[in-house]
Amino acid sequence: MSSVRHDWHIGEVLELFALPFSDLMFQAHQVHRANFPANEVQVSTLLSIKTGACPEDCGYCSQSARYDTSVERERLLPLEEVLASAQRAKETGATRFCMGAAWRNPTDKNLEVVAEMVQGVKALGMETCVTLGMLQPHQAQRLKQSGLDYYNHNLDTSPEFYGQVITTRTYQDRLDTLDAVREAGIHVCSGGILGLGETRKDRARLLQQLANLKQHPDSVPINDLVRIEGTPMSDNPKLDPFEFIRVIAVARILMPQSYVRLSAGRTEMSDETQAWCFFAGANSIFYGDKLLTTENPAENHDRELFKRLGIECEAPKHHSHAHASLHG
């Protein structure tokens, strides 16, 4: 039922999507229980350490310098401010602190500053994750030396639809960065965004790409598009919640041992949709009031929802067991 495969055919993935909803939920939940505690969710907090002025043209992003959005350009945050945010996140229950910078790719000089942040957050006893854009192999090695646990770099969508979303970097660029991260011995966090205008086949192809990597991503964030005024995708129609839940379920079946994370877009999801996502195999969330530049449900709302559902937050893992730990 939950053996790990890396040879999924698109027809098989589409067959899963086409199952009656209850059948898909039943299968996904069985896979989930076979690999994870059924009522436990890993909690991460995400901080934008450098906001805006990104040269990329990602059609969904408020931080692109090409679009007129309400996001202000900001410099890289000072170390003390980042560590204070990490401490607050730890106190409210997060076990991993993720730091995002709006760069196409970091300079080696900027990377040294981020490496210092990683070391500081690790010293607080938290797991660390960064997302900084494309990386060269030597940069991935430097982050590994600093003690980085996870690197996030999403594939976003299918290879076929990708050019409708971004033209300033290729799909292969993204795969190359994932290779560099994995080669350096850092856990991979990679997923995508739904509601970009893609078809169901594109959603299936995204999951197929992730599941057929040599090693599955340790964490698979699934984002529901946050439609931001000023971006080309601000008027995209909202994705049907049942289709979103299906993506979570298929991700769980294809990547049985990966953490599947409910990421951006949770503010617009009902509690019922989120509950179905947890049942279907989502077992990680971002916690806190903001995700980079977009709103996130208030921490007390998440705590209340967990209480209503009987869900516990995953406890911090010892770093000697890093690979079995909460991924992403």
Side-chain angles (χ1 to χ4, degrees), residues 24-294:
L24 178 59
M25 291 301 104
F26 180 67
Q27 187 173 333
H29 189 69
Q30 284 182 304
V31 171
H32 185 56
R33 278 184 180 262
N35 290 278
F36 288 98
N39 297 296
E40 196 172 271
V41 171
Q42 184 273 325
V43 174
S44 297
T45 292
L46 176 62
L47 175 71
S48 179
I49 57 172
K50 186 267 171 189
T51 304
C54 182
E56 303 275 31
D57 68 353
C58 307
Y60 51 79
C61 188
S62 63
Q63 303 200 64
S64 171
R66 296 160 187 251
Y67 312 131
D68 183 17
T69 67
S70 58
V71 170
E72 298 291 327
R73 300 178 178 211
E74 296 171 10
R75 295 181 181 276
L76 194 58
L77 291 179
L79 178 64
E80 305 71 43
E81 201 173 318
V82 172
L83 295 183
S85 292
Q87 182 62 42
R88 280 196 302 276
K90 182 181 179 183
E91 287 165 4
T92 56
T95 54
R96 183 176 320 142
F97 193 68
C98 306
M99 295 165 274
W103 288 320
R104 174 177 166 80
N105 48 280
T107 63
D108 288 350
K109 184 180 175 185
N110 282 332
L111 201 74
E112 288 305 316
V113 181
V114 175
E116 202 176 345
M117 292 175 181
V118 169
Q119 288 168 322
V121 174
K122 291 278 282 191
L124 296 175
M126 297 184 80
E127 288 194 316
T128 52
C129 177
V130 296
T131 180
L132 313 171
M134 293 183 285
L135 284 187
Q136 297 297 321
H138 76 275
Q139 294 180 314
Q141 294 288 348
R142 176 66 189 97
L143 288 171
K144 174 65 176 175
Q145 287 167 8
S146 74
L148 183 69
D149 297 298
Y150 296 88
Y151 194 85
N152 166 259
H153 199 64
N154 290 335
L155 293 182
D156 284 356
T157 188
S158 70
E160 294 78 14
F161 189 66
Y162 182 82
Q164 305 294 309
V165 181
I166 303 154
T167 66
T168 46
R169 77 172 87 162
T170 67
Y171 211 74
Q172 191 58 50
D173 287 335
R174 290 182 180 262
L175 292 170
D176 289 347
T177 290
L178 294 184
D179 284 345
V181 169
R182 187 68 85 187
E183 284 295 310
I186 298 168
H187 295 313
V188 167
C189 173
S190 187
I193 306 172
L194 309 182
L196 299 173
E198 77 285 349
T199 63
R200 173 178 277 187
K201 186 174 182 181
D202 290 315
R203 295 189 273 276
R205 283 281 286 140
L206 166 67
L207 296 181
Q208 181 197 21
Q209 288 285 312
L210 294 165
N212 286 352
L213 291 171
K214 286 196 289 276
Q215 195 174 334
H216 291 167
D218 302 279
S219 175
V220 181
I222 305 294
N223 299 275
D224 197 8
L225 176 69
V226 177
R227 297 180 299 289
I228 294 164
E229 196 73 31
T231 65
M233 296 187 171
S234 61
D235 295 327
N236 278 21
K238 187 88 182 116
L239 189 70
D240 174 17
F242 287 115
E243 183 71 3
F244 186 90
I245 298 161
R246 282 180 184 275
V247 174
I248 296 288
V250 175
R252 168 51 67 224
I253 294 166
L254 266 52
M255 294 168 278
Q257 294 170 5
S258 302
Y259 280 72
V260 176
R261 175 179 295 147
L262 278 186
S263 294
R266 284 201 302 123
T267 44
E268 295 180 37
M269 284 181 204
S270 68
D271 289 348
E272 293 82 0
T273 295
Q274 292 188 65
W276 271 116
C277 287
F278 295 133
F279 183 82
N283 61 338
S284 178
I285 63 164
F286 275 125
Y287 196 59
D289 297 334
K290 261 207 181 320
L291 289 187
L292 296 181
T293 63
T294 59

